[in-house]
Amino acid sequence: KRINMKKIWILPNNDAGSALLKSRMLSSKSNDSHYFENLPREKYLKLLKMSECIVGNSSSGILESSSFKIPTVNIGRRQHQRLKPKNVINIENISENKIVNAVKLAKSHKFKTRIKKIKNPYGDGKSSNKIFNILLNTPINDKLIIKKLTY
């Protein structure tokens, strides 16, 4: 409520404890919030592209947000072991003030300028073409088919 901007909430999936979280989210609805159980991938990516930042503990904030140059405020330990691009601001010891300050940083001109040229460490979205070309150009011969035993 301390962050003055429109909010779009993707409700939690069915992990343990999600019913309580979902109940609390829906009971504190406000006029600047919109809630979705889930979204088709195409709609979600369009929404992501138009977003000012992501706040939460979703893998999307780690995996996809850097492709769109969207700042992410990653809350908690859920994504702890994942490689995180430079657009991710981590908050491990959670407090309301830390979240508000991280969102202010994410929305700042300085931070947005800093992440304009980042690359997604998880790829460029062209892996299917690369795989296809490798398969297309790999000769199928005895070297590929007959394995040598090394034990």
Side-chain angles (χ1 to χ4, degrees):
K1 292 181 180 182
R2 287 179 44 197
I3 299 168
N4 186 21
M5 60 192 299
K6 287 187 179 181
K7 298 162 195 80
I8 296 173
W9 300 85
I10 310 295
L11 296 172
N13 57 22
N14 291 324
D15 290 345
S18 65
L20 177 62
L21 182 59
K22 185 176 176 180
S23 165
R24 287 187 179 174
M25 289 170 73
L26 293 173
S27 69
S28 63
K29 279 185 171 183
S30 61
N31 290 336
D32 64 351
S33 295
H34 304 279
Y35 295 82
F36 296 94
E37 281 286 334
N38 58 41
L39 290 167
R41 183 134 179 94
E42 183 178 323
K43 286 185 179 181
Y44 175 73
L45 292 175
K46 285 180 182 178
L47 191 61
L48 181 62
K49 187 175 182 179
M50 297 184 318
S51 297
E52 194 166 353
C53 72
I54 295 175
V55 179
N57 66 6
S58 170
S59 59
S60 180
I62 306 298
L63 301 174
E64 293 139 340
S65 64
S66 61
S67 292
F68 295 96
K69 316 297 189 245
I70 305 292
T72 293
V73 175
N74 181 52
I75 301 172
R77 301 180 322 237
R78 186 169 179 231
Q79 308 299 331
H80 180 67
Q81 295 294 322
R82 290 207 168 158
L83 171 67
K84 294 176 192 74
K86 301 287 185 200
N87 65 311
V88 176
I89 301 165
N90 283 304
I91 301 175
E92 291 185 21
N93 298 316
I94 304 165
S95 75
E96 184 178 326
N97 282 336
K98 285 183 181 181
I99 294 169
V100 170
N101 289 334
V103 171
K104 285 179 183 177
L105 172 62
K107 291 173 55 177
S108 73
H109 178 72
K110 184 177 180 180
F111 189 80
K112 288 184 176 186
T113 300
R114 192 174 98 206
I115 67 170
K116 272 186 179 176
K117 297 191 183 205
I118 63 167
K119 293 189 183 200
N120 188 329
Y122 291 97
D124 59 7
K126 299 176 184 172
S127 60
S128 59
N129 287 338
K130 291 175 186 175
I131 293 166
F132 177 76
N133 285 322
I134 290 170
L135 292 173
L136 188 65
N137 295 305
T138 300
I140 300 187
N141 54 34
D142 287 349
K143 186 177 180 182
L144 180 67
I145 296 172
I146 299 173
K147 296 180 180 181
K148 290 184 181 180
L149 296 177
T150 58
Y151 55 91

